[in-house]
mmCIF file of all heavy atoms in Angstrom:
data_model
loop_
_atom_site.group_PDB
_atom_site.id
_atom_site.type_symbol
_atom_site.label_atom_id
_atom_site.label_comp_id
_atom_site.label_asym_id
_atom_site.label_seq_id
_atom_site.Cartn_x
_atom_site.Cartn_y
_atom_site.Cartn_z
ATOM 1 N N LEU A 316 -5.526 7.045 19.854
ATOM 2 C CA LEU A 316 -6.284 7.134 21.097
ATOM 3 C C LEU A 316 -5.617 6.353 22.212
ATOM 4 O O LEU A 316 -4.907 5.376 21.984
ATOM 5 C CB LEU A 316 -7.719 6.626 20.909
ATOM 6 C CG LEU A 316 -7.913 5.163 20.526
ATOM 7 C CD1 LEU A 316 -9.214 4.625 21.121
ATOM 8 C CD2 LEU A 316 -7.946 5.015 19.007
ATOM 9 N N ASN A 317 -5.874 6.822 23.427
ATOM 10 C CA ASN A 317 -5.340 6.200 24.634
ATOM 11 C C ASN A 317 -6.293 5.137 25.175
ATOM 12 O O ASN A 317 -7.512 5.228 24.990
ATOM 13 C CB ASN A 317 -5.139 7.245 25.729
ATOM 14 C CG ASN A 317 -4.082 8.266 25.381
ATOM 15 O OD1 ASN A 317 -3.216 8.022 24.547
ATOM 16 N ND2 ASN A 317 -4.143 9.424 26.017
ATOM 17 N N HIS A 318 -5.718 4.161 25.880
ATOM 18 C CA HIS A 318 -6.484 3.175 26.638
ATOM 19 C C HIS A 318 -6.023 3.286 28.084
ATOM 20 O O HIS A 318 -4.918 2.864 28.428
ATOM 21 C CB HIS A 318 -6.262 1.768 26.078
ATOM 22 C CG HIS A 318 -6.612 1.658 24.622
ATOM 23 N ND1 HIS A 318 -7.909 1.711 24.164
ATOM 24 C CD2 HIS A 318 -5.842 1.537 23.513
ATOM 25 C CE1 HIS A 318 -7.921 1.598 22.846
ATOM 26 N NE2 HIS A 318 -6.676 1.501 22.417
ATOM 27 N N GLU A 319 -6.865 3.853 28.940
ATOM 28 C CA GLU A 319 -6.393 4.321 30.240
ATOM 29 C C GLU A 319 -6.110 3.196 31.228
ATOM 30 O O GLU A 319 -5.078 3.173 31.884
ATOM 31 C CB GLU A 319 -7.410 5.284 30.842
ATOM 32 C CG GLU A 319 -6.919 5.888 32.145
ATOM 33 C CD GLU A 319 -7.926 6.833 32.773
ATOM 34 O OE1 GLU A 319 -9.059 6.937 32.261
ATOM 35 O OE2 GLU A 319 -7.571 7.453 33.787
ATOM 36 N N TYR A 320 -7.034 2.276 31.403
ATOM 37 C CA TYR A 320 -6.871 1.224 32.406
ATOM 38 C C TYR A 320 -7.777 0.056 32.045
ATOM 39 O O TYR A 320 -8.423 0.060 30.991
ATOM 40 C CB TYR A 320 -7.170 1.746 33.819
ATOM 41 C CG TYR A 320 -8.604 2.149 34.056
ATOM 42 C CD1 TYR A 320 -9.466 1.347 34.801
ATOM 43 C CD2 TYR A 320 -9.102 3.362 33.573
ATOM 44 C CE1 TYR A 320 -10.781 1.712 35.027
ATOM 45 C CE2 TYR A 320 -10.411 3.735 33.798
ATOM 46 C CZ TYR A 320 -11.254 2.915 34.531
ATOM 47 O OH TYR A 320 -12.557 3.288 34.755
ATOM 48 N N THR A 321 -7.826 -0.953 32.887
ATOM 49 C CA THR A 321 -8.615 -2.144 32.600
ATOM 50 C C THR A 321 -9.610 -2.414 33.710
ATOM 51 O O THR A 321 -9.411 -2.034 34.861
ATOM 52 C CB THR A 321 -7.723 -3.389 32.448
ATOM 53 O OG1 THR A 321 -7.049 -3.631 33.693
ATOM 54 C CG2 THR A 321 -6.703 -3.208 31.337
ATOM 55 N N ASP A 322 -10.692 -3.071 33.354
ATOM 56 C CA ASP A 322 -11.592 -3.692 34.324
ATOM 57 C C ASP A 322 -11.268 -5.182 34.279
ATOM 58 O O ASP A 322 -11.663 -5.888 33.344
ATOM 59 C CB ASP A 322 -13.047 -3.430 33.950
ATOM 60 C CG ASP A 322 -14.031 -4.025 34.958
ATOM 61 O OD1 ASP A 322 -13.645 -4.973 35.676
ATOM 62 O OD2 ASP A 322 -15.176 -3.554 35.020
ATOM 63 N N GLU A 323 -10.516 -5.636 35.242
ATOM 64 C CA GLU A 323 -10.035 -7.022 35.230
ATOM 65 C C GLU A 323 -11.176 -8.030 35.243
ATOM 66 O O GLU A 323 -11.038 -9.144 34.730
ATOM 67 C CB GLU A 323 -9.117 -7.252 36.432
ATOM 68 C CG GLU A 323 -7.844 -6.411 36.411
ATOM 69 C CD GLU A 323 -6.914 -6.807 35.266
ATOM 70 O OE1 GLU A 323 -6.471 -7.965 35.226
ATOM 71 O OE2 GLU A 323 -6.628 -5.937 34.421
ATOM 72 N N HIS A 324 -12.314 -7.656 35.796
ATOM 73 C CA HIS A 324 -13.455 -8.572 35.855
ATOM 74 C C HIS A 324 -14.074 -8.770 34.479
ATOM 75 O O HIS A 324 -14.572 -9.855 34.165
ATOM 76 C CB HIS A 324 -14.500 -8.039 36.844
ATOM 77 C CG HIS A 324 -13.962 -7.842 38.220
ATOM 78 N ND1 HIS A 324 -13.937 -8.840 39.159
ATOM 79 C CD2 HIS A 324 -13.391 -6.752 38.805
ATOM 80 C CE1 HIS A 324 -13.394 -8.376 40.281
ATOM 81 N NE2 HIS A 324 -13.046 -7.121 40.089
ATOM 82 N N GLN A 325 -14.050 -7.745 33.642
ATOM 83 C CA GLN A 325 -14.592 -7.860 32.290
ATOM 84 C C GLN A 325 -13.554 -8.367 31.299
ATOM 85 O O GLN A 325 -13.902 -9.012 30.303
ATOM 86 C CB GLN A 325 -15.101 -6.486 31.827
ATOM 87 C CG GLN A 325 -16.277 -5.944 32.624
ATOM 88 C CD GLN A 325 -17.544 -6.737 32.418
ATOM 89 O OE1 GLN A 325 -17.712 -7.439 31.421
ATOM 90 N NE2 GLN A 325 -18.457 -6.625 33.367
ATOM 91 N N LEU A 326 -12.277 -8.122 31.580
ATOM 92 C CA LEU A 326 -11.211 -8.439 30.629
ATOM 93 C C LEU A 326 -11.000 -9.928 30.458
ATOM 94 O O LEU A 326 -10.632 -10.392 29.372
ATOM 95 C CB LEU A 326 -9.906 -7.782 31.095
ATOM 96 C CG LEU A 326 -8.661 -7.983 30.232
ATOM 97 C CD1 LEU A 326 -8.861 -7.391 28.835
ATOM 98 C CD2 LEU A 326 -7.435 -7.362 30.908
ATOM 99 N N HIS A 327 -11.232 -10.714 31.518
ATOM 100 C CA HIS A 327 -10.909 -12.142 31.506
ATOM 101 C C HIS A 327 -12.182 -12.994 31.555
ATOM 102 O O HIS A 327 -13.153 -12.630 32.225
ATOM 103 C CB HIS A 327 -10.016 -12.487 32.691
ATOM 104 C CG HIS A 327 -8.828 -11.587 32.823
ATOM 105 N ND1 HIS A 327 -7.813 -11.558 31.899
ATOM 106 C CD2 HIS A 327 -8.508 -10.657 33.772
ATOM 107 C CE1 HIS A 327 -6.906 -10.665 32.264
ATOM 108 N NE2 HIS A 327 -7.307 -10.107 33.405
ATOM 109 N N ALA A 328 -12.120 -14.121 30.879
ATOM 110 C CA ALA A 328 -13.301 -14.981 30.783
ATOM 111 C C ALA A 328 -13.791 -15.448 32.148
ATOM 112 O O ALA A 328 -14.997 -15.578 32.377
ATOM 113 C CB ALA A 328 -12.991 -16.185 29.887
ATOM 114 N N ASP A 329 -12.869 -15.691 33.090
ATOM 115 C CA ASP A 329 -13.265 -16.175 34.416
ATOM 116 C C ASP A 329 -13.117 -15.092 35.472
ATOM 117 O O ASP A 329 -13.049 -15.389 36.674
ATOM 118 C CB ASP A 329 -12.450 -17.405 34.806
ATOM 119 C CG ASP A 329 -10.955 -17.140 34.872
ATOM 120 O OD1 ASP A 329 -10.527 -16.064 34.388
ATOM 121 O OD2 ASP A 329 -10.205 -17.979 35.405
ATOM 122 N N GLY A 330 -13.083 -13.827 35.064
ATOM 123 C CA GLY A 330 -13.004 -12.743 36.011
ATOM 124 C C GLY A 330 -11.585 -12.457 36.485
ATOM 125 O O GLY A 330 -10.614 -13.008 35.975
ATOM 126 N N ALA A 331 -11.487 -11.610 37.502
ATOM 127 C CA ALA A 331 -10.180 -11.153 37.965
ATOM 128 C C ALA A 331 -9.411 -12.208 38.729
ATOM 129 O O ALA A 331 -8.177 -12.220 38.729
ATOM 130 C CB ALA A 331 -10.356 -9.914 38.833
ATOM 131 N N ALA A 332 -10.100 -13.072 39.419
ATOM 132 C CA ALA A 332 -9.437 -14.087 40.252
ATOM 133 C C ALA A 332 -9.690 -15.480 39.685
ATOM 134 O O ALA A 332 -10.764 -15.756 39.148
ATOM 135 C CB ALA A 332 -9.948 -13.989 41.686
ATOM 136 N N PRO A 333 -8.705 -16.353 39.809
ATOM 137 C CA PRO A 333 -7.374 -16.095 40.370
ATOM 138 C C PRO A 333 -6.474 -15.371 39.370
ATOM 139 O O PRO A 333 -6.587 -15.584 38.163
ATOM 140 C CB PRO A 333 -6.842 -17.501 40.649
ATOM 141 C CG PRO A 333 -7.490 -18.336 39.578
ATOM 142 C CD PRO A 333 -8.870 -17.761 39.392
ATOM 143 N N LEU A 334 -5.598 -14.542 39.886
ATOM 144 C CA LEU A 334 -4.651 -13.844 39.024
ATOM 145 C C LEU A 334 -3.588 -14.817 38.543
ATOM 146 O O LEU A 334 -3.104 -15.652 39.302
ATOM 147 C CB LEU A 334 -3.987 -12.697 39.788
ATOM 148 C CG LEU A 334 -3.116 -11.752 38.962
ATOM 149 C CD1 LEU A 334 -3.959 -10.977 37.958
ATOM 150 C CD2 LEU A 334 -2.366 -10.783 39.881
ATOM 151 N N THR A 335 -3.241 -14.726 37.268
ATOM 152 C CA THR A 335 -2.217 -15.588 36.675
ATOM 153 C C THR A 335 -1.266 -14.746 35.843
ATOM 154 O O THR A 335 -1.555 -13.581 35.521
ATOM 155 C CB THR A 335 -2.850 -16.647 35.765
ATOM 156 O OG1 THR A 335 -3.472 -15.984 34.637
ATOM 157 C CG2 THR A 335 -3.891 -17.474 36.507
ATOM 158 N N ALA A 336 -0.148 -15.345 35.458
ATOM 159 C CA ALA A 336 0.807 -14.642 34.598
ATOM 160 C C ALA A 336 0.165 -14.289 33.260
ATOM 161 O O ALA A 336 0.414 -13.207 32.700
ATOM 162 C CB ALA A 336 2.053 -15.496 34.394
ATOM 163 N N ALA A 337 -0.670 -15.195 32.741
ATOM 164 C CA ALA A 337 -1.328 -14.929 31.460
ATOM 165 C C ALA A 337 -2.285 -13.749 31.571
ATOM 166 O O ALA A 337 -2.396 -12.931 30.646
ATOM 167 C CB ALA A 337 -2.071 -16.174 30.986
ATOM 168 N N LYS A 338 -2.976 -13.643 32.701
ATOM 169 C CA LYS A 338 -3.896 -12.520 32.884
ATOM 170 C C LYS A 338 -3.147 -11.202 33.017
ATOM 171 O O LYS A 338 -3.574 -10.170 32.493
ATOM 172 C CB LYS A 338 -4.776 -12.757 34.114
ATOM 173 C CG LYS A 338 -5.851 -13.811 33.914
ATOM 174 C CD LYS A 338 -6.713 -13.943 35.167
ATOM 175 C CE LYS A 338 -7.835 -14.958 34.964
ATOM 176 N NZ LYS A 338 -8.664 -15.111 36.183
ATOM 177 N N VAL A 339 -2.027 -11.225 33.722
ATOM 178 C CA VAL A 339 -1.225 -10.011 33.837
ATOM 179 C C VAL A 339 -0.755 -9.557 32.466
ATOM 180 O O VAL A 339 -0.821 -8.367 32.124
ATOM 181 C CB VAL A 339 -0.034 -10.228 34.788
ATOM 182 C CG1 VAL A 339 0.952 -9.072 34.702
ATOM 183 C CG2 VAL A 339 -0.529 -10.399 36.221
ATOM 184 N N ARG A 340 -0.299 -10.499 31.658
ATOM 185 C CA ARG A 340 0.180 -10.130 30.327
ATOM 186 C C ARG A 340 -0.959 -9.581 29.462
ATOM 187 O O ARG A 340 -0.772 -8.584 28.743
ATOM 188 C CB ARG A 340 0.829 -11.348 29.657
ATOM 189 C CG ARG A 340 1.520 -11.035 28.321
ATOM 190 C CD ARG A 340 2.598 -9.966 28.467
ATOM 191 N NE ARG A 340 3.590 -10.287 29.462
ATOM 192 C CZ ARG A 340 4.713 -10.955 29.222
ATOM 193 N NH1 ARG A 340 4.981 -11.370 28.009
ATOM 194 N NH2 ARG A 340 5.582 -11.183 30.193
ATOM 195 N N LYS A 341 -2.146 -10.179 29.550
ATOM 196 C CA LYS A 341 -3.272 -9.659 28.780
ATOM 197 C C LYS A 341 -3.636 -8.250 29.257
ATOM 198 O O LYS A 341 -3.925 -7.364 28.441
ATOM 199 C CB LYS A 341 -4.479 -10.579 28.903
ATOM 200 C CG LYS A 341 -5.664 -10.152 28.032
ATOM 201 C CD LYS A 341 -6.833 -11.127 28.105
ATOM 202 C CE LYS A 341 -7.969 -10.680 27.200
ATOM 203 N NZ LYS A 341 -9.144 -11.588 27.268
ATOM 204 N N SER A 342 -3.616 -8.037 30.558
ATOM 205 C CA SER A 342 -3.907 -6.727 31.115
ATOM 206 C C SER A 342 -2.891 -5.701 30.623
ATOM 207 O O SER A 342 -3.253 -4.561 30.273
ATOM 208 C CB SER A 342 -3.894 -6.812 32.640
ATOM 209 O OG SER A 342 -4.186 -5.580 33.236
ATOM 210 N N GLN A 343 -1.627 -6.082 30.579
ATOM 211 C CA GLN A 343 -0.593 -5.165 30.104
ATOM 212 C C GLN A 343 -0.775 -4.821 28.634
ATOM 213 O O GLN A 343 -0.411 -3.724 28.194
ATOM 214 C CB GLN A 343 0.788 -5.786 30.350
ATOM 215 C CG GLN A 343 1.141 -5.876 31.824
ATOM 216 C CD GLN A 343 2.454 -6.582 32.084
ATOM 217 O OE1 GLN A 343 2.919 -7.392 31.271
ATOM 218 N NE2 GLN A 343 3.074 -6.302 33.227
ATOM 219 N N HIS A 344 -1.346 -5.730 27.877
ATOM 220 C CA HIS A 344 -1.597 -5.475 26.452
ATOM 221 C C HIS A 344 -2.886 -4.691 26.215
ATOM 222 O O HIS A 344 -3.131 -4.240 25.094
ATOM 223 C CB HIS A 344 -1.669 -6.802 25.691
ATOM 224 C CG HIS A 344 -0.349 -7.487 25.572
ATOM 225 N ND1 HIS A 344 -0.220 -8.775 25.099
ATOM 226 C CD2 HIS A 344 0.912 -7.075 25.868
ATOM 227 C CE1 HIS A 344 1.055 -9.125 25.121
ATOM 228 N NE2 HIS A 344 1.766 -8.106 25.580
ATOM 229 N N ALA A 345 -3.710 -4.529 27.253
ATOM 230 C CA ALA A 345 -5.000 -3.846 27.103
ATOM 231 C C ALA A 345 -4.938 -2.369 27.450
ATOM 232 O O ALA A 345 -5.947 -1.667 27.362
ATOM 233 C CB ALA A 345 -6.060 -4.542 27.957
ATOM 234 N N VAL A 346 -3.749 -1.883 27.870
ATOM 235 C CA VAL A 346 -3.574 -0.454 28.132
ATOM 236 C C VAL A 346 -2.681 0.126 27.044
ATOM 237 O O VAL A 346 -2.203 -0.577 26.161
ATOM 238 C CB VAL A 346 -2.963 -0.217 29.532
ATOM 239 C CG1 VAL A 346 -3.914 -0.703 30.609
ATOM 240 C CG2 VAL A 346 -1.607 -0.900 29.674
ATOM 241 N N GLY A 347 -2.458 1.435 27.094
ATOM 242 C CA GLY A 347 -1.542 2.052 26.140
ATOM 243 C C GLY A 347 -2.233 2.904 25.105
ATOM 244 O O GLY A 347 -3.079 3.749 25.425
ATOM 245 N N VAL A 348 -1.913 2.679 23.832
ATOM 246 C CA VAL A 348 -2.341 3.550 22.726
ATOM 247 C C VAL A 348 -2.679 2.694 21.510
ATOM 248 O O VAL A 348 -2.034 1.672 21.265
ATOM 249 C CB VAL A 348 -1.220 4.555 22.361
ATOM 250 C CG1 VAL A 348 -1.593 5.403 21.147
ATOM 251 C CG2 VAL A 348 -0.887 5.452 23.555
ATOM 252 N N SER A 349 -3.690 3.106 20.756
ATOM 253 C CA SER A 349 -3.990 2.544 19.438
ATOM 254 C C SER A 349 -3.779 3.590 18.365
ATOM 255 O O SER A 349 -4.107 4.772 18.567
ATOM 256 C CB SER A 349 -5.446 2.076 19.337
ATOM 257 O OG SER A 349 -5.680 0.861 19.985
ATOM 258 N N VAL A 350 -3.251 3.163 17.228
ATOM 259 C CA VAL A 350 -3.231 3.970 16.012
ATOM 260 C C VAL A 350 -4.040 3.207 14.975
ATOM 261 O O VAL A 350 -3.709 2.063 14.639
ATOM 262 C CB VAL A 350 -1.804 4.194 15.486
ATOM 263 C CG1 VAL A 350 -1.832 5.044 14.215
ATOM 264 C CG2 VAL A 350 -0.931 4.854 16.554
ATOM 265 N N ILE A 351 -5.137 3.796 14.501
ATOM 266 C CA ILE A 351 -5.954 3.140 13.481
ATOM 267 C C ILE A 351 -6.119 4.080 12.295
ATOM 268 O O ILE A 351 -6.072 5.300 12.430
ATOM 269 C CB ILE A 351 -7.334 2.716 14.013
ATOM 270 C CG1 ILE A 351 -8.172 3.928 14.430
ATOM 271 C CG2 ILE A 351 -7.183 1.727 15.164
ATOM 272 C CD1 ILE A 351 -9.629 3.593 14.754
ATOM 273 N N GLU A 352 -6.310 3.490 11.127
ATOM 274 C CA GLU A 352 -6.584 4.266 9.922
ATOM 275 C C GLU A 352 -8.081 4.219 9.643
ATOM 276 O O GLU A 352 -8.728 3.179 9.795
ATOM 277 C CB GLU A 352 -5.817 3.705 8.728
ATOM 278 C CG GLU A 352 -6.005 4.532 7.453
ATOM 279 C CD GLU A 352 -5.235 3.997 6.253
ATOM 280 O OE1 GLU A 352 -4.452 3.047 6.429
ATOM 281 O OE2 GLU A 352 -5.437 4.533 5.135
ATOM 282 N N ILE A 353 -8.627 5.362 9.227
ATOM 283 C CA ILE A 353 -10.035 5.438 8.873
ATOM 284 C C ILE A 353 -10.172 6.116 7.515
ATOM 285 O O ILE A 353 -9.281 6.845 7.074
ATOM 286 C CB ILE A 353 -10.859 6.202 9.930
ATOM 287 C CG1 ILE A 353 -10.305 7.620 10.144
ATOM 288 C CG2 ILE A 353 -10.874 5.438 11.255
ATOM 289 C CD1 ILE A 353 -11.139 8.485 11.084
ATOM 290 N N GLU A 354 -11.288 5.852 6.847
ATOM 291 C CA GLU A 354 -11.582 6.516 5.582
ATOM 292 C C GLU A 354 -13.037 6.950 5.566
ATOM 293 O O GLU A 354 -13.905 6.323 6.197
ATOM 294 C CB GLU A 354 -11.289 5.605 4.391
ATOM 295 C CG GLU A 354 -12.138 4.361 4.317
ATOM 296 C CD GLU A 354 -11.834 3.536 3.076
ATOM 297 O OE1 GLU A 354 -11.093 4.021 2.211
ATOM 298 O OE2 GLU A 354 -12.351 2.409 2.973
ATOM 299 N N ARG A 355 -13.293 8.050 4.843
ATOM 300 C CA ARG A 355 -14.643 8.608 4.784
ATOM 301 C C ARG A 355 -15.348 8.146 3.528
ATOM 302 O O ARG A 355 -14.876 8.365 2.403
ATOM 303 C CB ARG A 355 -14.604 10.138 4.839
ATOM 304 C CG ARG A 355 -15.987 10.770 4.904
ATOM 305 C CD ARG A 355 -15.925 12.228 5.281
ATOM 306 N NE ARG A 355 -15.135 13.007 4.326
ATOM 307 C CZ ARG A 355 -14.824 14.295 4.501
ATOM 308 N NH1 ARG A 355 -15.214 14.929 5.586
ATOM 309 N NH2 ARG A 355 -14.117 14.936 3.597
ATOM 310 N N LEU A 356 -16.484 7.514 3.717
ATOM 311 C CA LEU A 356 -17.361 7.080 2.640
ATOM 312 C C LEU A 356 -18.636 7.915 2.684
ATOM 313 O O LEU A 356 -18.872 8.635 3.667
ATOM 314 C CB LEU A 356 -17.700 5.597 2.800
ATOM 315 C CG LEU A 356 -16.507 4.627 2.867
ATOM 316 C CD1 LEU A 356 -16.995 3.208 3.134
ATOM 317 C CD2 LEU A 356 -15.689 4.688 1.588
#
Side-chain angles (χ1 to χ4, degrees):
L316 63 148
N317 295 338
H318 303 290
E319 185 181 6
Y320 66 105
T321 63
D322 182 337
E323 296 293 299
H324 302 273
Q325 295 292 338
L326 180 62
H327 310 294
D329 60 348
L334 188 66
T335 65
K338 287 182 178 179
V339 169
R340 187 58 55 90
K341 184 177 181 181
S342 181
Q343 291 176 336
H344 289 170
V346 296
V348 176
S349 283
V350 180
I351 64 171
E352 183 179 354
I353 57 175
E354 64 177 351
R355 185 167 59 186
L356 304 176

